[in-house]
Amino acid sequence: MTTVQELTGIVGNNHIITSASKSLRYRSGYRSGRGDALAVVLPGNMMELWKVLKVLHAHNTIIIMQASNTSLTEGSIPAPGYDRECVVVNGTRIKGVQLINHGEEALAFPGTTLFKLENALKVINREPHSVIGSSNLGASVIGGINNNSGGALIQRGPAYTELSLYAQIDANDELRLVNHLGIELGDTPEEMINNLENRNFDIDNVKKDEKRVGHNRDYEARVRNIGSHTPTRYNADPNELYEVSGASGKLAAFAVRLDTFPKEGDSQVFYIGTNEPAVLEKMRRHILSEFKNLPVSGEYMHKEAYDLAKKYGKDSLLVIDTIGTNMLPYLFSLKSTAERILGHIPTFKPYFPDRMLQHVGQVFPNQLPKRIEAYSNKYEHYLQLKMVGEGIDEARQYLKEFFKTESGDYLECTPSEAERAATHRYVTAGVAIRYQEVFQNKKLDILPLDIALPRNEFDWFEHLPKEIEDKIEHKLYYGHFLDHVMHQDYILKPGVDPHELKLEMLKLLDKRGAIYPAEHNVGHLYHAASTLVNHYKQNDPTNSFNPGVGLTTMEKYWGNY
């Protein structure tokens, strides 16, 4: 039988896609990139996933593991140039969450989204590693672990675990299932999967693993070290690379075991505005070095990003605010289907659904709170500082004294204002794409960068030379300010080559001591650092999973790379 026939026998006709047009959304990146695949297969449980992997291994087929496909750097899609056939294995149907040890830990599967995990923990008054940011986009827990996703929570650091169940093709070209969950599940892959899926173990009496941990170590001390000339966090940090953590799809993760955290009490968001970047840096250094209570988060936006998101992210904000994030994966699927159908009709230009949503969004009134809007008319830089517990009064007293002498001001957000401001900040990630779609006749390119600045960098706000400024139409600056991880999206003027400009920009970043990418992984847009390449080779000695990631070789067994 052919590969496709064998896969169809496992998952059924309804869960394998061989049509190029129907599989396009699985083969296209969120911002850029597109590759070919023999098929897209969507197993419905872990046993089907294991059987799918056995077939692909037997046929010497490249395996692209995929979850929600929210990667911004093409890291979870096929790439051009493979020397073997490729199949995308999408795990979104393998859902579910198992809370163990009375909810102090959780087991997440390939299709478990951060949103689902957050909701499962909410009823027992606990939280996952991250509760904002990519959860708005339906990102998966395992995808976050694979990419060392940073998130915004200052006290917890990047997504990380050393406890996992994963499939690996080892140096002897043997497919094996490795159980490092710290749970006794049996000896054979079939026993492990059956016992895990059916909870054939005491879920509230799982032994703590003495060797491996389920969350990032010592991140608070790291982020407080404001004198260091190195960044707080970045993808190639060897401290964050362990089996599935930082794997970039070079292993097939079946489950990860993660620590959960007690839900904090009342919270307060302080919305801060200033026209002086140095004011925010002075504040950052004091908070991280002197505050007894670390903030929950400190999210930054520049005025140009604020204004563009207000116009080109309004419909996204409306959708999230109205129906929440639970329906987002369905809506993305619906939009992709509409694009596929309309793409065959010459009357409709590309991205018609997005352009229609853009026009519909403008019919609605401004969604941003009046007090926050007032700050956008007075200030260029904004910081959303979230505190909990005793930290609320600590921040309140500090800010009151701080702005007696410093330029700027602050306000204490109501819960509604805080939620709306946070959502506005996170929809900014899609603004450059929307702008490009709306003005497609101008043939604009975009250049997205996410960078980690040194912890001791004072002059954090970017100042570009005129010859580069002249090539850029809009700059969107936003990010996780307290740990100096910044997202910088550039909408380029017509005719500007994004690849040439990127090289120029990276030279400037190198001079500043920045490391990139900070949290969106290297994908197929950045060269992987040596530490990351070594991690890839250790996880995937035959180069069968996601070959070419990090601009490495696509050859089987890594060739001479």
Side-chain angles (χ1 to χ4, degrees):
M1 289 195 296
T2 66
T3 304
V4 170
Q5 288 173 331
E6 289 190 56
L7 294 175
T8 304
I10 297 169
V11 301
N13 287 315
N14 293 332
H15 301 297
I16 185 168
I17 306 169
T18 55
S19 163
S21 60
K22 292 181 180 179
S23 69
L24 182 59
R25 72 186 182 95
Y26 299 95
R27 299 183 293 104
S28 301
Y30 183 73
R31 278 180 171 162
S32 64
R34 178 183 298 186
D36 296 326
L38 177 66
V40 175
V41 59
L42 295 93
N45 54 54
M46 290 190 219
M47 195 64 75
E48 287 187 2
L49 174 57
W50 176 246
K51 291 177 180 178
V52 164
L53 294 176
K54 288 202 294 183
V55 168
L56 297 179
H57 176 239
H59 286 270
N60 192 32
T61 304
I62 286 173
I63 302 166
I64 306 297
M65 296 302 302
Q66 185 183 87
S68 301
N69 193 18
T70 59
S71 169
L72 302 181
T73 56
E74 309 173 12
S76 55
I77 60 168
Y82 294 142
D83 58 351
R84 293 152 281 162
E85 287 186 327
C86 156
V87 166
V88 175
V89 182
N90 185 286
T92 52
R93 293 181 61 225
I94 310 174
K95 302 182 187 298
V97 176
Q98 291 185 10
L99 302 185
I100 62 177
N101 291 335
H102 305 283
E104 292 183 2
E105 297 175 273
L107 295 174
F109 306 133
T112 305
T113 65
L114 191 55
F115 179 79
K116 292 289 188 183
L117 178 57
E118 183 181 344
N119 276 354
L121 290 169
K122 192 178 294 183
V123 296
I124 59 172
N125 211 34
R126 293 185 74 84
E127 294 178 340
H129 164 268
S130 183
V131 295
I132 51 180
S134 54
S135 57
N136 281 344
L137 300 174
S140 70
V141 174
I142 283 181
I145 295 293
N146 256 263
N147 294 325
N148 286 139
S149 296
L153 301 190
I154 299 303
Q155 301 169 16
R156 299 176 192 172
Y160 180 80
T161 187
E162 296 172 356
L163 300 160
S164 61
L165 175 70
Y166 61 86
Q168 178 189 46
I169 299 175
D170 65 20
N172 297 317
D173 205 8
E174 297 289 336
L175 177 68
R176 60 193 186 107
L177 192 64
V178 179
N179 179 15
H180 284 167
L181 282 173
I183 305 172
E184 179 55 52
L185 295 173
D187 299 321
T188 69
E190 291 75 17
E191 285 177 331
M192 294 179 198
I193 292 169
N194 179 66
N195 288 328
L196 180 59
E197 288 192 320
N198 293 295
R199 301 191 185 189
N200 292 333
F201 56 93
D202 188 347
I203 63 171
D204 288 323
N205 191 31
V206 178
K207 291 183 179 180
K208 294 287 185 181
D209 195 297
E210 296 181 359
K211 296 181 180 179
R212 300 181 177 91
V213 297
H215 73 279
N216 205 288
R217 293 183 180 93
D218 305 322
Y219 192 73
E220 180 172 338
R222 200 186 313 172
V223 78
R224 283 187 180 274
N225 184 8
I226 59 173
S228 174
H229 66 279
T230 62
T232 310
R233 58 180 171 93
Y234 54 97
N235 282 129
D237 186 346
N239 295 312
E240 314 300 336
L241 304 177
Y242 191 96
E243 296 179 348
V244 172
S245 293
S248 303
K250 301 298 283 182
L251 296 170
F254 281 60
V256 293
R257 177 178 170 184
L258 304 161
D259 292 329
T260 70
F261 304 86
K263 189 174 179 63
E264 300 286 355
D266 294 337
S267 65
Q268 178 62 58
V269 172
F270 298 90
Y271 196 88
I272 298 159
T274 182
N275 288 316
E276 301 295 334
V279 168
L280 292 185
E281 182 60 25
K282 184 176 181 180
M283 181 188 304
R284 169 186 170 271
R285 290 172 179 246
H286 179 91
I287 289 172
L288 294 180
S289 62
E290 302 296 335
F291 269 29
K292 179 181 178 182
N293 304 280
L294 270 184
V296 174
S297 60
E299 294 299 288
Y300 167 79
M301 284 187 79
H302 180 252
K303 179 174 174 55
E304 190 167 11
Y306 179 100
D307 289 341
L308 286 172
K310 178 180 170 181
K311 183 173 182 179
Y312 298 101
K314 183 196 281 189
D315 59 293
S316 297
L317 188 150
L318 280 164
V319 169
I320 293 170
D321 195 52
T322 304
I323 67 173
T325 58
N326 197 31
M327 291 291 290
L328 283 184
Y330 171 75
L331 293 177
F332 281 134
S333 176
L334 193 65
K335 183 169 73 74
S336 296
T337 301
E339 287 177 346
R340 175 173 57 84
I341 295 171
L342 295 175
H344 296 291
I345 304 174
T347 307
F348 293 95
K349 294 180 180 179
Y351 310 112
F352 175 78
D354 273 325
R355 291 185 291 108
M356 182 187 69
L357 288 170
Q358 177 63 31
H359 289 298
V360 170
Q362 302 315 302
V363 175
F364 290 85
N366 181 15
Q367 298 296 300
L368 298 175
K370 290 181 179 179
R371 293 201 300 164
I372 289 175
E373 276 284 83
Y375 269 47
S376 73
N377 294 324
K378 292 171 61 178
Y379 303 116
E380 294 281 331
H381 306 275
Y382 322 112
L383 181 67
Q384 299 173 40
L385 183 69
K386 184 176 182 179
M387 306 295 299
V388 294
E390 295 178 357
I392 296 174
D393 193 57
E394 184 176 18
R396 181 179 290 130
Q397 295 303 318
Y398 169 71
L399 292 173
K400 183 179 179 180
E401 292 300 316
F402 183 77
F403 283 113
K404 285 181 179 179
T405 57
E406 298 291 343
S407 171
D409 204 352
Y410 74 98
L411 60 86
E412 297 191 24
C413 292
T414 66
S416 175
E417 288 174 331
E419 185 175 354
R420 193 65 63 87
T423 302
H424 179 65
R425 152 67 183 85
Y426 288 109
V427 301
T428 308
V431 166
I433 301 171
R434 172 60 62 81
Y435 190 96
Q436 186 184 36
E437 292 169 345
V438 170
F439 295 101
Q440 58 187 273
N441 290 340
K442 296 174 69 174
K443 301 187 184 305
L444 302 168
D445 278 304
I446 59 176
L447 173 59
L449 298 175
D450 66 293
I451 66 171
L453 294 170
R455 283 167 277 181
N456 65 354
E457 175 64 69
F458 193 88
D459 190 16
W460 60 273
F461 189 70
E462 185 173 68
H463 302 281
L464 295 173
K466 186 178 185 302
E467 59 269 21
I468 291 182
E469 283 277 8
D470 290 343
K471 299 177 182 178
I472 299 171
E473 189 160 307
H474 292 291
K475 296 174 295 191
L476 289 86
Y477 294 134
Y478 55 99
H480 314 301
F481 182 66
L482 295 182
D483 51 12
H484 265 185
V485 170
M486 306 302 294
H487 300 283
Q488 302 180 170
D489 297 343
Y490 307 92
I491 301 172
L492 310 184
K493 291 182 178 178
V496 175
D497 186 327
H499 301 291
E500 290 184 5
L501 183 60
K502 180 179 177 180
L503 295 176
E504 294 180 61
M505 300 290 281
L506 296 185
K507 288 179 182 178
L508 295 177
L509 292 173
D510 290 340
K511 290 179 180 178
R512 298 175 66 192
I515 294 181
Y516 45 83
E519 63 179 9
H520 286 158
N521 216 319
V522 290
H524 290 283
L525 299 182
Y526 296 92
H527 285 280
S530 58
T531 53
L532 208 50
V533 173
N534 290 337
H535 185 54
Y536 293 163
K537 288 184 174 181
Q538 185 176 2
N539 279 339
D540 184 21
T542 67
N543 206 17
S544 298
F545 289 92
N546 206 10
V549 67
L551 301 178
T552 57
T553 180
M554 294 181 177
E555 291 184 47
K556 187 79 180 277
Y557 301 109
W558 296 90
N560 295 319
Y561 193 86

